[in-house]
């Protein structure tokens, strides 16, 4: 299957993006907030609590939890796609879905967090090439 390599390339780009996200999150968790504005913002996030379904969490904890979850989901889904690339390449609907998800993540990254734009551009291009290569 000629597009297996492209599917695998897109999946590896997702793995790299997810692992990079986790690494940056870990680095940011370990460093002290130095500028007064950042310290004030983190304090405000800690002070604002939300209660849902009987659980009370502060906004900073939720933000960090969602950040870790995003990195894990992208890295692990990418890893599953790497392992299943030969089978996925034969399923154009799955490749199209991966391309659409990757394009959506790319649009969000370009707007909100530019560094992952490079790896998400690679993933989108790979999944797109896999669709065209069929």
């Amino acid at each position: 299957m000629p597009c297996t390599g492209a599917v695998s390339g897109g999946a590896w780009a997702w793995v790299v993006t997810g692992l990079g996200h986790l690494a940056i999150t870990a680095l940011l968790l370990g460093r002290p907030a130095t500028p007064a504005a950042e310290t004030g913002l983190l304090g405000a996030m800690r002070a604002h609590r939300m209660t849902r379904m009987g659980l009370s969490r502060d906004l900073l904890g939720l933000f960090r939890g969602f950040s870790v979850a995003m990195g894990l989901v992208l890295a692990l889904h990418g890893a599953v796609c790497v392992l299943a690339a030969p089978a996925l390449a034969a399923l154009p609907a799955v490749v199209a879905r991966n391309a659409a998800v990757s394009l959506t993540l790319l649009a969000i990254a370009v707007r909100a967090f530019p560094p992952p734009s490079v790896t998400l551009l690679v993933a989108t291009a790979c999944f797109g090439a896999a669709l065209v290569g069929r």
Side-chain angles (χ1 to χ4, degrees):
M1 283 175 220
C3 58
T4 300
V7 171
S8 184
W12 273 113
W14 278 359
V15 170
V16 168
T17 305
L19 292 177
H21 188 85
L22 289 170
I24 289 171
T25 300
L27 287 173
L28 291 176
L29 284 174
R31 74 170 178 83
T34 47
E38 187 176 339
T39 303
L41 177 63
L42 294 177
M45 290 176 79
R46 281 187 195 97
H48 183 77
R49 299 200 65 82
M50 299 175 64
T51 302
R52 297 287 182 265
M53 298 177 4
L55 298 172
S56 179
R57 300 288 184 261
D58 65 64
L59 192 56
L60 184 59
L62 289 171
F63 175 79
R64 288 177 173 165
F66 282 125
S67 186
V68 169
M70 176 66 191
L72 281 173
V73 165
L74 195 55
L76 294 176
H77 182 69
V80 168
C81 288
V82 166
L83 294 173
L88 295 179
L91 301 169
V94 174
V95 177
R97 183 207 43 115
N98 282 353
V101 167
S102 198
L103 184 60
T104 302
L105 291 173
L106 175 61
I108 293 167
V110 165
R111 177 88 171 123
F113 347 94
S117 299
V118 175
T119 54
L120 290 171
L121 179 61
V122 169
T124 303
C126 287
F127 290 128
L131 284 172
V132 172
R134 292 190 52 74

